[in-house]
Amino acid sequence: MAEALRDPKADWPAVDAGHPPSSGERAGPALRADPGAAVGGGAGVVRGHDAMASRNGSWHRPTPPAEAGAVQGGVRLLLRAEGAALLVFAMLAYAQLAPDQWGRFAMLLLLPDLAMLGYLAGPAIGARAYNAAHSVVGPLLLASVGFALPAKAGLLWPLAAIWLAHIGLDRMLGYGLKYGNSFGHTHLGRLGPRDPW
């Protein structure tokens, strides 16, 4: 035990030799880059059994991590399903609130996308404008004003339903809230032609 504490490699001899551990042996540390080694323009140092495996010419590269701030896999599908549910709910609410005004619904459905004009001032301002127009906070506050001012509820609640429907449609299609570095970097993943469901 004392030898293993003094020699950190003593605990995984088979891994250091470049082959997987046999029964009873434990795997060594995972591949990690040393960010401090990149100072001065050099590449990060690879540590662990992959560094040892390079002696035998076999490298095992880790799966690239998800983009920072973006969900993936089943969670991403769940969030997109929530967007679809929000769209259906908002359309059903609108059908109850303004059943004979579907023309207004169609005309105003894409109105929140005017916030993308903020990208003309740069990605950071564009992301703030887009997120302000595509967060459920806005339509819920608008609907709350309808509760506070019942005389205006007949106007405000249908508008809030249209706004929610737009947000639900965007989420269902994978258009998430934006980060300030680029339009395509969203909380639902990177937008583009290779955008996976």
Side-chain angles (χ1 to χ4, degrees):
M1 179 70 163
E3 290 177 14
L5 292 174
R6 283 192 299 265
D7 183 9
K9 294 180 185 174
D11 200 25
W12 47 76
V15 174
D16 285 346
H19 53 81
S22 60
S23 61
E25 295 177 351
R26 293 187 321 208
L31 174 67
R32 289 181 292 165
D34 182 0
V39 176
V45 175
V46 176
R47 294 181 178 170
H49 75 277
D50 284 320
M52 295 299 187
S54 67
R55 295 177 186 168
N56 297 334
S58 61
W59 282 93
H60 302 285
R61 297 185 186 272
T63 303
E67 189 164 12
V71 297
Q72 61 181 349
V75 175
R76 185 171 192 230
L77 289 175
L78 181 60
L79 289 176
R80 291 176 85 159
E82 282 184 350
L86 181 59
L87 173 62
V88 170
F89 169 79
M91 291 182 73
L92 291 173
Y94 188 84
Q96 294 296 314
L97 295 168
D100 299 326
Q101 300 178 20
W102 287 101
R104 179 172 70 169
F105 182 92
M107 282 192 326
L108 298 178
L109 181 62
L110 299 180
L111 186 64
D113 282 340
L114 289 177
M116 287 190 289
L117 293 174
Y119 278 94
L120 295 174
I125 293 173
R128 287 189 198 106
Y130 182 94
N131 292 343
H134 289 81
S135 168
V136 296
V137 173
L140 292 181
L141 286 176
L142 186 62
S144 299
V145 172
F147 282 107
L149 304 172
K152 300 289 186 182
L155 172 67
L156 298 179
W157 289 347
L159 291 175
I162 294 170
W163 197 354
L164 283 172
H166 176 87
I167 293 169
L169 177 65
D170 271 13
R171 296 289 199 281
M172 180 184 73
L173 296 176
Y175 291 92
L177 297 174
K178 312 296 185 195
Y179 290 97
N181 56 348
S182 72
F183 178 80
H185 186 190
T186 80
H187 85 285
L188 292 177
R190 172 72 59 179
L191 293 176
R194 299 180 63 187
D195 176 32
W197 269 81

